[in-house]
Amino acid sequence: MADDGEEKLIAVARHIAKTLGHTDSMTDDILKIFSNFDGRLRDKLSDDGIEQTLKSLDRRLSRYISLDAPIWSNSVDVSSFLHAVDQLIAAVRDWAPIAAHKRVAACVARAEDLLQQTMLRLEDEFRALLESGGGGSIDSTRHHPDYSDDDGSIEEDEDASIPVAEPVPDYDLLIDALPPGTVGDLHEIAKRMAAAGYEKECCAAYGACRREYLELSLSRLGLPKLSIDEVQRMQWSQLEDEIERWIKAINVTLRVLLPSERRLCDRVFSGFPSDADLSFTEVCKGSIIQLLNFADAVAISSRSPERLFKVLDVYEAIRDLMPEFELLFLDDFCLPLRNEAMTVWKRLGEVIRGIFLELDNLIRRDPAKSAVPGGGLHPITRYVMNYLGAACRSRLTLEQVFEESVDADHGKGDIVSPSSLSAQLAWIMDLLDNNLEAKSRVYKDAALGSVFMMNNGRYIVQKVKDNELGALLGDDWIRKNMAKVRQYHVKYQRSCWGKLLSYLRVDHSNSASSNGTSSKALREQLKLFNACFEEMCRTQSSWVIFDEQLKEELKISVSGHLTPAYRNFIGRLHACADVGRHTDRHIRYNLEDIEARITGLFQGTAAGTGRK
């Protein structure tokens, strides 16, 4: 208490002298008056007292400044050194108000020079402590960030100059990269450097050392430093592997490494929040920019449809980590990093929407040149439906991405549909349907074109019903497209079997004619029927219906129309008197034969018809 009172008294004396002394001589006179009043002021503020204090501090501090061994290797030296540092800082502060006095100015200049040398030595000790702090240890008490001397002890790795975080089993933990004692020593140094006005140098030293630690940790996680150009030049298969490593690295960085660094900064710079914020920014800026640049390189690379799924992975990784970005980067120093993360995240959303536009273009550009053998599934149908089915496994993410587009359009005053993702999918399905209709016209046989549309339409409906596409497109869409399949069924029936059924129609207006004329006409019709039926069965046996249920439905429908008509026709033929018992000579197929030939339809195994 006595020392504190003395310091206050001296401070008051200096202030009064500085305030009242308009000239050097007036200030000197005032100080002499105070010195005569109190002996303590005489020792402290007289020219001889300042000189003696400075020489004493110079002698004590120079010994440590020139010391080869680390000062912090000896606790006694540490205590003595820090005490001298405190005295020097106080002296410089106390002498500053009277530095204009010509006899004091020289001493102040020497004191500031000594202070600079002392701060350089403190900075060296600060770096040495940071670099020899030992290996990191896991601390699962991440929700208790306040510094405590009860923290667990840290094992030191004497072989490692810079500690690097070990792989961790989960994200709900922190790593103590430095032992509690070392953290306390660093805090004592930081406190002195801040008091002396060297906080920027302290923050820079801290940032340089811990930044190297963080970069080595990222490297240990398997993430190399890659420029945007290097990422863009990668083969896609190689980039896919890098994306997997990147996702693991950014999660460990944002959930474990940076929270650990934030806590360490807060402890080292306890009481100096601005310095803690600046130091934390210096530590993490390079690594965060490295991680975000990788994501940005993915965003500005090719928008080919097959890249959607990995781009979604990158988008989801940053989206899920945005709370960590918001929590860790609250201060003004970190604001650009938080904004950059948000920018990259939004850009990835734009890329995802752009990839869907590329899918639109891919469908449009798929040519309608060669027909699929047997009217089977077209590769574009299988590709698009499997692609959309896989994409819709990330339905919530895609809805978010397209909802962002809706919000942006609302901001511009544009009119948009309530569900942009649903609208986009419906648009793609319309493009696919139009593309398939164009392809169906390539077939010279209209019936085969109808089979082609039935196959592809049925496949589309089944795929939609089997996954999230059904919920997005809705029941009305499904009913509408099932109705289209039925329409193509009717077209197939009419264009193909309608002609055959016309040969089995009996003209009852000729019933009054002679039996000879009637039987001759019937035999001629039967002959045409046999030839046409044979050709149709031969041709359609190689056609393809991939869906077994649809195949059976078609056969039943054909049989349901053909068999009764054929039975009636044969009965009419038997009734002719001039045919009589020679009827079997004219009848090539009995009813069982007709059914057997119908059963043999659609047995084609042409390439590209498999259902996947």
Side-chain angles (χ1 to χ4, degrees), residues 335-347:
L335 182 61
L337 296 178
R338 188 174 72 222
N339 291 342
E340 180 63 17
M342 180 67 71
T343 299
V344 173
W345 177 34
K346 298 299 182 184
R347 188 175 296 132

Side-chain angles (χ1 to χ4, degrees), residues 187-207:
H187 173 64
E188 292 301 322
I189 294 176
K191 186 165 60 175
R192 268 77 179 182
M193 293 187 73
Y198 283 77
E199 58 264 49
K200 288 185 178 180
E201 290 79 359
C202 184
C203 292
Y206 180 92

Side-chain angles (χ1 to χ4, degrees), residues 458-570:
R458 183 65 166 250
Y459 181 83
I460 289 170
V461 169
Q462 290 299 332
K463 281 290 185 179
V464 168
K465 292 168 67 175
D466 289 346
N467 55 47
E468 291 288 338
L469 280 170
L472 288 163
L473 292 172
D475 293 338
D476 288 343
W477 187 95
I478 293 174
R479 283 192 292 269
K480 176 183 174 182
N481 282 269
M482 288 178 68
K484 281 186 178 181
V485 173
R486 288 192 293 270
Q487 288 172 4
Y488 285 114
H489 183 170
V490 172
K491 286 183 179 180
Y492 159 77
Q493 197 93 8
R494 288 175 178 173
S495 63
C496 184
W497 299 99
K499 180 180 178 181
L500 187 65
L501 288 171
S502 68
Y503 296 137
L504 300 178
R505 294 193 185 97
V506 177
D507 187 0
H508 295 284
S509 64
N510 294 327
S511 59
S513 302
S514 64
N515 286 337
T517 303
S518 177
S519 62
K520 183 178 180 180
L522 291 176
R523 289 197 302 270
E524 192 63 32
Q525 285 180 243
L526 183 59
K527 183 179 179 180
L528 292 172
F529 171 85
N530 289 338
C532 186
F533 182 66
E534 179 66 27
E535 178 61 22
M536 288 178 61
C537 290
R538 184 187 64 79
T539 300
Q540 296 192 31
S541 64
S542 64
W543 289 5
V544 177
I545 298 293
F546 82 91
D547 185 86
E548 290 298 325
Q549 181 179 348
L550 178 60
K551 184 189 294 187
E552 288 305 311
E553 289 174 358
L554 284 174
K555 291 179 180 179
I556 292 171
S557 176
V558 170
S559 178
H561 286 82
L562 183 60
T563 302
Y566 187 72
R567 181 187 299 111
N568 290 338
F569 184 86
I570 295 301

Side-chain angles (χ1 to χ4, degrees), residues 139-148 151 174 263 267:
D139 178 9
S140 59
T141 59
R142 68 175 303 161
H143 302 297
H144 305 282
D146 296 335
Y147 178 76
S148 171
D151 286 354
L174 292 176
R263 183 172 71 168
R267 290 176 172 180

